[in-house]
Amino acid sequence: MKIRTQILAATSGAAVMLGGVAQAEDYKAVILQSLTGGAAFIGKNVADGATLAAEQLNEEGFFGEGNKLVFSVEDDATDRTQTLSLITRLAADPDVLMIMGPTSGSVALAGANVANEREFPVMTTTNSMEVLENGPWSFIMTQPASVTMPFIADYTSETLGVETCAVIGVKDNEAYVALQRMYEDLITEAGVDIVSNDGVALADSDFSALATKVASANQDCVFVGTPAAQGANIILQLKQAGLDPSTAILGHNAFASPTFIEKGGAAVEGVYLIGAWVPGGGDDAFSQEFATSFEEKMGFPADEWNAMGYSGMQVVAHAIRDAAEADNATREGVRDALGAQEDVPVVVGTHSYSFDEERVPYFGMKVLQVTDGEFAVAPE
Amino acid sequence: MLAQQILNGLVSGSVYALFSLGFTLIFGVQKLLNFAHGATFMAGAFIAYYCTINGLPFFMAIGFSMLATGLIAILIDLIAFRTLRKRGNAEFPALVSSIGVDLILVSIAQQVSNTQVLNFPFGTFPIQFYNILGLRISLLQIVILVVVAVLVAALIFYLKKTTFGRQVRAVATNERAAALLGVNAQSVYLQTFFIAGALAGLAGVLIGLLFNSIQFLMGEPYMLRAFVVVVIGGLGSVQGAIVASLLLGVAQSLTVAYLPSGLTDAIIFGLLFLVLLVRPNGLFGDINAVAGGTRQ
């Protein structure tokens, strides 16, 4: 079992060291993500974005003069046993107000289950609605497939007007499978014929047989529902196998990462995708500031999951502050404040994050296209 | 498409052969399952990648990577296996020990790569395609087939026709008798680990280059396939490992091409059980066959 813990303190507490000032409050939360294991490609990036957000919020005195968010980063290791053990331990610490995590899959579901038993708020990274069904203490941070996939499905059937499509997806991650199934259902309803449907494992890199198969078939589009680097690799191998250049290639929001263009190079030119995050921040000042500060800190550009982590921490911070301002900085107070969040400024989607009355998050999406080696809003 | 898929399968299978040969060689000589072999394979790709992006010419990076993974494999033997071997009955403890080494190497690679998928810079190897008899084949695929064929032939020659090879077979057959005849078994172990590590490292580089992807978990699927290869080929059989690797590569391509790809692993392992039912000792089965010798 590997646990990496970082305890980071705020720097804005000088005033509270002086006598005669109201006592400073520490609000304790834990970022519990998959830093190792199969979901580390999501969890590590979410944790990096969330950590930056928490540091910045403390620096700017977001929680009030002298108050700060005291947070630690823990590793769920994409492992249910470790996750359950950690949540149980954290739930026993009355100072911990909530957890941002766990990351995805059965780990998040198991975490949601124990969190509801312990009446301990968790905001999992997954978009699985089953997390919400577990009880009122578990939230999801990312938009479910029913919210995101209509953006790219409508673009496929209506804007591009394709009639046949090959689908390639990840078979061993439930979040990716859910996105792919939703896409398939939506385009099928719109009259698009799915001519082939193939699954790959997250650790796979040899797609030569699959690429030959798809390139040898006739279809108007290929939908690739995988993480960015793997998707770029699949598209590269599809092109090398002789895929008709006129075939439209589409993907979901995982492609909205600088990694996608870096790994795919010229092969991914023209690919359509949906993105909550426009690399570089697009035309939104808050997003641009995040992109700059993230790259300065980490040494590489932010991707979709980094931006989600950053945005998720904004929502968590607003909930904690609202609960504190209502003089109810308890787990119950934070849970209620979290579910009531509306129009929180974030760096993803339409830059405004809200939960509806069913605790389903909404922050919108954009259809993007790789144009001249950069992401641009796709033509309508 | 059938011929193209068979060609794809042969290229993949030839790299499986490089990977599996080292695995089966160690098993043949020591009767140990080295679970850290996948991590050695991954380390080969990582080392060549970092050498390349730091300016070392690619072919020198390959050589350096093979040398380094050979040394890593020796270290694995010294740290994880040697002490256990001295105690006797080392099979199970060594298996656990090698899993531990694997986890350490994978964790290091994850930290070094920051969990990112890496790839060799574009242009590291010329991207050229040829159409031969209706088949689309890249220069890299041709080079891989030739390199693997040469290395496999060299390894077989080394094991069959040289003093070292005779020593390997002697130790594999009966370590005590070999020692009485003056063979230094420890030296044989170190050399076999070095060869196995260097071959795994080269396989890692070739896979990283061929499929444009280097990541810390890249060894895991290859370890699973190596098990299939050594069991189908016959435990410890070098020739069996080569034939089984090529068969596995082709079977994998054809199942992806003609059957739902989600079933690929199920079908491959189904074939494994089928082979075991018909030939329990594998295709080149001699239950005592070890790197060309017969264990006493």
Side-chain angles (χ1 to χ4, degrees):
Chain A
M1 186 171 78
K2 181 184 172 191
I3 299 175
R4 192 183 71 172
T5 305
Q6 282 180 294
I7 304 292
L8 298 166
T11 56
S12 59
V16 296
M17 302 301 287
L18 304 172
V21 178
Q23 189 178 354
E25 293 286 344
D26 284 351
Y27 307 114
K28 200 169 173 184
V30 173
I31 300 167
L32 172 62
Q33 297 289 334
S34 301
L35 307 180
T36 55
F41 70 97
I42 297 173
K44 173 72 167 61
N45 294 10
V46 168
D48 287 343
T51 301
L52 175 63
E55 289 168 351
Q56 289 180 345
L57 289 165
N58 278 334
E59 280 170 16
E60 69 190 42
F62 178 84
F63 297 95
E65 193 175 358
N67 302 334
K68 62 181 184 291
L69 180 70
V70 176
F71 67 97
S72 60
V73 180
E74 302 271 5
D75 182 11
D76 71 32
T78 325
D79 179 80
R80 271 193 291 186
T81 307
Q82 176 151 327
T83 303
L84 295 180
S85 166
L86 279 168
I87 293 180
T88 304
R89 175 165 67 79
L90 294 167
D93 179 351
D95 291 337
V96 180
L97 291 172
M98 70 167 292
I99 287 175
M100 184 174 162
T103 300
S104 74
S106 58
V107 173
L109 283 173
N113 195 26
V114 73
N116 278 289
E117 282 174 9
R118 308 268 167 170
E119 300 188 339
F120 187 30
V122 293
M123 186 163 79
T124 65
T125 306
T126 184
N127 62 358
S128 168
M129 295 292 282
E130 288 177 66
V131 167
L132 302 181
E133 292 161 10
N134 258 273
W137 297 87
S138 49
F139 292 75
I140 56 175
M141 188 174 78
T142 48
Q143 299 171 117
S146 58
V147 173
T148 59
M149 296 312 285
F151 287 90
I152 192 71
D154 291 349
Y155 198 85
T156 305
S157 58
E158 293 171 15
T159 309
L160 297 178
V162 305
E163 294 178 354
T164 56
C165 199
V167 175
I168 300 170
V170 169
K171 63 185 178 187
D172 54 358
N173 179 285
E174 115 287 348
Y176 282 88
V177 171
L179 291 170
Q180 182 192 331
R181 294 277 181 271
M182 181 64 65
Y183 178 78
E184 289 166 12
D185 290 347
L186 289 167
I187 62 169
T188 304
E189 278 172 24
V192 178
D193 183 24
I194 297 174
V195 295
S196 64
N197 191 327
D198 292 283
V200 300
L202 281 169
D204 282 349
S205 63
D206 177 2
F207 309 111
S208 54
L210 178 59
T212 299
K213 174 186 167 182
V214 173
S216 305
N218 275 324
Q219 60 267 309
D220 301 327
C221 85
V222 180
F223 176 80
V224 183
T226 65
Q230 190 176 40
N233 196 11
I234 290 172
I235 293 166
L236 191 62
Q237 292 186 40
L238 281 169
K239 295 282 177 81
Q240 289 177 348
L243 182 73
D244 183 346
S246 69
T247 307
I249 301 176
L250 304 105
H252 53 55
N253 46 319
F255 282 5
S257 161
T259 303
F260 183 64
I261 293 174
E262 181 195 327
K263 305 295 180 195
V268 300
E269 187 71 15
V271 171
Y272 300 97
L273 59 144
I274 44 172
W277 165 244
V278 180
D283 54 5
D284 176 62
F286 184 31
S287 306
Q288 290 167 0
E289 285 168 19
F290 159 65
T292 305
S293 55
F294 185 89
E295 188 157 4
E296 275 175 11
K297 181 185 176 192
M298 302 300 295
F300 53 84
D303 72 3
E304 177 100 354
W305 292 117
N306 299 134
M308 276 312 312
Y310 189 86
S311 299
M313 181 52 81
Q314 304 291 333
V315 179
V316 168
H318 276 78
I320 290 174
R321 187 176 69 174
D322 289 355
E325 285 176 355
D327 207 17
N328 191 18
T330 61
R331 289 178 179 175
E332 191 173 12
V334 169
R335 180 201 66 178
D336 293 344
L338 189 58
Q341 289 304 310
E342 276 186 37
D343 300 328
V344 176
V346 292
V347 298
V348 290
T350 53
H351 312 299
S352 174
Y353 190 113
S354 302
F355 284 108
D356 69 12
E357 60 277 10
E358 303 296 326
R359 290 177 291 129
V360 176
Y362 184 88
F363 45 89
M365 280 277 166
K366 295 184 177 81
V367 177
L368 308 172
Q369 185 179 25
V370 181
T371 308
D372 298 328
E374 293 182 352
F375 292 105
V377 176
E380 292 295 325
Chain B
M1 183 172 75
L2 175 65
Q4 183 69 53
Q5 292 292 14
I6 290 172
L7 175 66
N8 291 338
L10 287 174
V11 174
S12 298
S14 64
V15 186
Y16 292 160
L18 269 190
F19 181 88
S20 304
L21 275 175
F23 188 69
T24 205
L25 194 60
I26 290 173
F27 182 83
V29 174
Q30 300 204 27
K31 284 285 182 193
L32 295 177
L33 287 172
N34 177 17
F35 270 83
H37 199 62
T40 312
F41 161 86
M42 174 272 298
F46 267 71
I47 291 166
Y49 167 78
Y50 283 108
C51 286
T52 305
I53 62 167
N54 283 301
L56 201 66
F58 182 60
F59 290 102
M60 284 181 69
I62 293 178
F64 183 76
S65 171
M66 290 178 71
L67 178 66
T69 48
L71 293 174
I72 287 171
I74 284 179
L75 266 180
I76 291 170
D77 181 43
L78 294 176
I79 294 167
F81 292 139
R82 176 169 283 197
T83 313
L84 296 171
R85 206 162 47 226
K86 282 179 184 167
R87 277 186 6 195
N89 290 326
E91 283 87 350
F92 183 69
L95 188 142
V96 175
S97 181
S98 68
I99 291 174
V101 173
D102 179 79
L103 289 173
I104 290 169
L105 289 174
V106 167
S107 296
I108 292 170
Q110 185 182 9
Q111 294 300 318
V112 167
S113 65
N114 207 19
T115 320
Q116 303 294 307
V117 178
L118 312 171
N119 61 305
F120 288 107
F122 288 110
T124 298
F125 193 90
I127 300 172
Q128 276 180 270
F129 284 87
Y130 305 98
N131 281 306
I132 303 169
L133 301 172
L135 296 177
R136 187 176 168 84
I137 185 166
S138 70
L139 177 62
L140 180 59
Q141 287 176 313
I142 294 170
V143 169
I144 285 174
L145 286 170
V146 171
V147 167
V148 171
V150 168
L151 279 175
V152 166
L155 180 66
I156 290 173
F157 177 82
Y158 199 47
L159 288 173
K160 298 280 185 192
K161 303 289 183 187
T162 66
T163 304
F164 170 71
R166 281 190 287 276
Q167 289 178 348
V168 168
R169 283 183 285 138
V171 171
T173 305
N174 188 320
E175 182 184 337
R176 187 170 294 177
L180 288 172
L181 292 170
V183 176
N184 183 343
Q186 296 306 326
S187 165
V188 168
Y189 289 145
L190 292 179
Q191 287 185 60
T192 50
F193 264 92
F194 182 83
I195 291 170
L199 290 177
L202 177 62
V205 179
L206 294 179
I207 286 290
L209 193 60
L210 184 62
F211 302 128
N212 194 40
S213 174
I214 299 166
Q215 57 129 320
F216 63 100
L217 290 175
M218 66 188 283
E220 290 188 1
Y222 287 87
M223 272 307 296
L224 272 179
R225 283 158 201 165
F227 277 119
V228 176
V229 162
V230 295
V231 174
I232 290 182
L235 293 172
S237 166
V238 169
Q239 292 92 331
I242 296 163
V243 172
S245 296
L246 297 175
L247 282 177
L248 179 69
V250 172
Q252 194 177 317
S253 277
L254 295 181
T255 51
V256 169
Y258 297 106
L259 296 167
S261 58
L263 295 176
T264 305
D265 287 338
I267 289 165
I268 285 172
F269 280 91
L271 281 175
L272 169 72
F273 298 135
L274 190 65
V275 169
L276 287 178
L277 280 174
V278 179
R279 290 186 64 88
N281 297 329
L283 294 176
F284 287 71
D286 169 1
I287 197 161
N288 293 315
V290 278
T294 300
R295 183 170 282 273
Q296 305 287 311

